Every structure is written in C-alpha cells, then in structure tokens.
Amino acid sequence: MMMRLLLACACLWLAACSPTASTSLSERLVSPGGASPLLDQAHIAATIATLPNRSGYITSREHVRLFWRAFDAGDYGLRYRYARPRHEGGEPVDMDLRLEPPRPFHAQAPRGTVVVLHGWMMSGDAMLPWSLQLAQSGYRVITIDLRNHGHSGGGPAGYGTVESDEVIEVIRALRARGEVQGPLYLFGVSYGAATALFAAEKLGGAVQGVVAMESFANAGDAIRSMIPHLLASQPHGWQAQAVAAYARWRYADQDMDAVIAAANRRLGVDLDQVDVSRAVAASRACVLLLHGDQDQHIRVDQGRRLAQASPRAHYIEMRGEDHITLPMRIDLLGGVVDDWMSRDMSAPDGLCPAPRTPVEANFMALAGGVGGSNG
C-alpha cells in the first residue's frame, strides 16, 4: 500500500481565511478556525483505517472531549522517501509513505510509550509518519488531538498552558487503563512541542524525556514575528494568491500589540507570559530540541533561547530546513530520535545524553549558543 501524504505548516492559520469570513485577527489567535486546507485528511483517514489501532475519547475537567489514538509497537512495513518539496508558494507539499504491514499484524511488547502532539491547525492523525516510525522503533504511540483540533472538542486556546493540563488528564486516564506502559516520552511539533514541554514540567519525574520540534520560547514573541512573515508571503497559484491578498487587505495594517492584547482578554491568558523557556528550565525530563535554521514561522532564535534554558536540554539546528520541511525529515531524524531515546532510557539518573550527529553531517549543525553541542 502506498499513499502520498500531504502535510502543511502547523501555523498556516491564515490559509483558513476566506473573503466571506468576518473573523478578526485576534480571534484567529483565540481559535484556529478549522484544519489547514493543505492537509489531505481523506487520504490520511483512509490509510489509518487499514492499520491496527485503537481510539477513544477522554472528557477533561473543563468538559472538552479529547480524542486519542494508539498504535502498538510492531512492524508496519514503513518505507519513507523524502524529496525536498517546493512549498513556498502555499501549495501542498508531499512525501511518499509506503506501508506493507504483515497480515496478521503482531504487536510487540513496548519499550515504553510516546505521546505525540501535533501543531496548530493539524491533528494527531497528521502525525502518522512519525507515529509509525516510533512504533517500529518499539514504542507504543498515542496521539492526542488538542482542543480545537481534529476530533476533539473546542475551547479557548491556551498556547500550551491549558492544553498541557488536558494532555496530562488523558495520559493519566490511559495509564489507568493500561494503554500507557513503561517509560513515558512526549513528542511534539510546533504548538504541540510547546504543549509537550509544559506537560513535562507539570508531570515531573513521570516523564523520561521530551522531543520538541520547532517550539516557540515565548508565545507573544512568536506571534509578533510569525504573523508579519505570513502576511508578507508571495504565494503562487490563484487560490493561494487570493487568500494572501485578502489576508493582507484585512490584517496587514493592524497593530500587533493591540491584537495580542485583544486576544489576551478573550483567552484570559497573557501571551507575553506564556514562556516555554521557564518550563524547560524547571523540567526534570531530558529534552531534545530540534529546529531548522531557515524557519521563519517560529524563528530559529526561539529554539536557541530554549536551548539555553537548561543544561538538561540538547539542541540540534538543521541547516536549510524550515517550519514545513523539518517535521518531514524522518529520513535524517528518525534514527537520531530513536538513538537518543534509547540512550536516555538507559542513562544514569540525572544525566541526559547528547544527541549523535547522523552520517549526513553536512545537512545538520549541532548548535548550542550557535556553535557546538549544548550540554
């Protein structure tokens, strides 16, 4: 079985705008307003339907129904091919994912559990390539749709603060059911990465480690750089051009401080105080941070700030990768993540192993303060 999986940037919320919409820019910060149009949900759902998995709902204390899906450790016959896509025009980007799971499928005893958290305007199912990569590495994988995303219910966004509380509720409920087994790892991309880092801080010693890809360090700072970048983009294709032109006409002249202040009032959260760096500094878990040096959505200085927050954090900065391409580099990062998690699991208490540079060292730079390994 082969599918061409279309993925989108986790922060392309402006792409959900339409000329008939009346949503203000601050309201876009409060709620994503739907899934990214660059996400091929039908193909993803059709593929997942052919794979052994379990799913269900946990209702949070705030009465939000949260969807989860579990993949057992085992051989899914995953074959992955990456070709550098042309995506700067706002067009779908793609990667080839071949799945040839044996029939019948034989689940393996898990080495541990990895909870996978998606980005803004994405879903747990959109993380399928990483989910199967981790499952084939021997982990039970549980994806969670954050509030306002996927199959889960809605509520004011918390930029990782509220969402992390709900992730913890799901983890505890699933551990009581036997779904979460062994050492626990959190794996997140962008918005999901910030959520994972907040959750790890709150869970303390219950989390073995965190893999955080493209996380922001401070929500307010990230918004102030991300939105102008998105509004300045010059896409190709009439549909993308129309969306971008409408977004610029409607939003380009707005004062970002005023927009954030309006969102704060709606959310009951001060976005300038949503500081992931503090969560990293306080976390007892080992942390592997991944960022592309060409990321203009969550700029690379955000990743570098997180790397400086704790000696327990290690940082890989990938040359030439951006916010869209970095999560697609399973070909380079799959082995790196598996190796780091394996050594972290066996490391003496209090020690966090440094990640190993892959063979394709010319594509990557280990950066700590911009130059070498951090920690």
Side-chain angles (χ1 to χ4, degrees), residues 57-66 147 154-156 161-173 199 202-203:
Y57 288 89
I58 302 293
T59 301
S60 73
R61 286 185 296 246
E62 293 195 5
H63 308 293
V64 177
R65 292 186 79 221
L66 301 164
R147 58 165 56 196
T161 57
V162 175
E163 292 87 347
S164 58
D165 291 334
E166 293 179 335
V167 165
I168 291 170
E169 289 185 66
V170 174
I171 289 172
R172 287 173 174 165
K202 296 170 182 177
L203 282 168

Side-chain angles (χ1 to χ4, degrees), residues 3 8 17 45 86 107 131 134 156 165 191 224 229 260 265 270 310:
M3 72 173 293
C17 298
R86 289 179 54 84
S131 297
L134 293 163
D165 291 334
Y191 197 89
R224 287 182 179 89
H229 167 70
I260 290 173
R265 291 191 292 271
D270 185 345
S310 170

Side-chain angles (χ1 to χ4, degrees), residues 52 54 76 89 119-120 155 189 196 234 275-276 278 290 297 307 348 364:
R54 297 177 300 283
Y76 291 84
W120 187 261
V189 172
Q234 298 292 332
D275 194 341
V276 187
R278 289 202 295 262
L290 302 160
H297 295 82
M364 308 185 70

Side-chain angles (χ1 to χ4, degrees), residues 18 44-45 87 101 111 115 138 142-143 146 153 156 175 178 184 188 191 213 236 246 252 257 336 346-347 352 374:
S18 69
I44 296 172
H87 64 80
R111 301 160 61 184
V115 171
I142 295 173
T143 65
L146 303 176
R175 189 177 283 281
L184 174 64
Y191 197 89
M213 190 177 295
H236 302 291
Y246 173 75
D257 289 335
V336 175
S346 60
C352 294
N374 175 36

Side-chain angles (χ1 to χ4, degrees), residues 10 16 33 46 56 62 89 150 170 172 176 203 205 226 235-236 257 295 317 321 324 330-331 353:
E62 293 195 5
V170 174
R172 287 173 174 165
L203 282 168
M226 178 187 69
H236 302 291
D257 289 335
D295 193 339
E317 187 170 298
E321 305 299 342
I324 298 177
I330 299 173
D331 56 330

Side-chain angles (χ1 to χ4, degrees), residues 124-201:
D125 289 350
M127 298 295 293
L128 181 64
W130 271 108
S131 297
L132 298 184
Q133 168 70 28
L134 293 163
Q136 287 201 163
S137 296
Y139 298 93
R140 176 169 293 170
V141 175
I142 295 173
T143 65
I144 300 174
D145 287 356
L146 303 176
R147 58 165 56 196
N148 301 313
H149 295 83
H151 303 289
S152 289
Y159 287 78
T161 57
V162 175
E163 292 87 347
S164 58
D165 291 334
E166 293 179 335
V167 165
I168 291 170
E169 289 185 66
V170 174
I171 289 172
R172 287 173 174 165
L174 293 182
R175 189 177 283 281
R177 299 181 187 182
E179 290 286 356
V180 175
Q181 297 183 7
L184 174 64
Y185 283 86
L186 306 179
F187 180 108
V189 172
S190 193
Y191 197 89
T195 300
L197 291 167
F198 278 123
E201 177 202 6

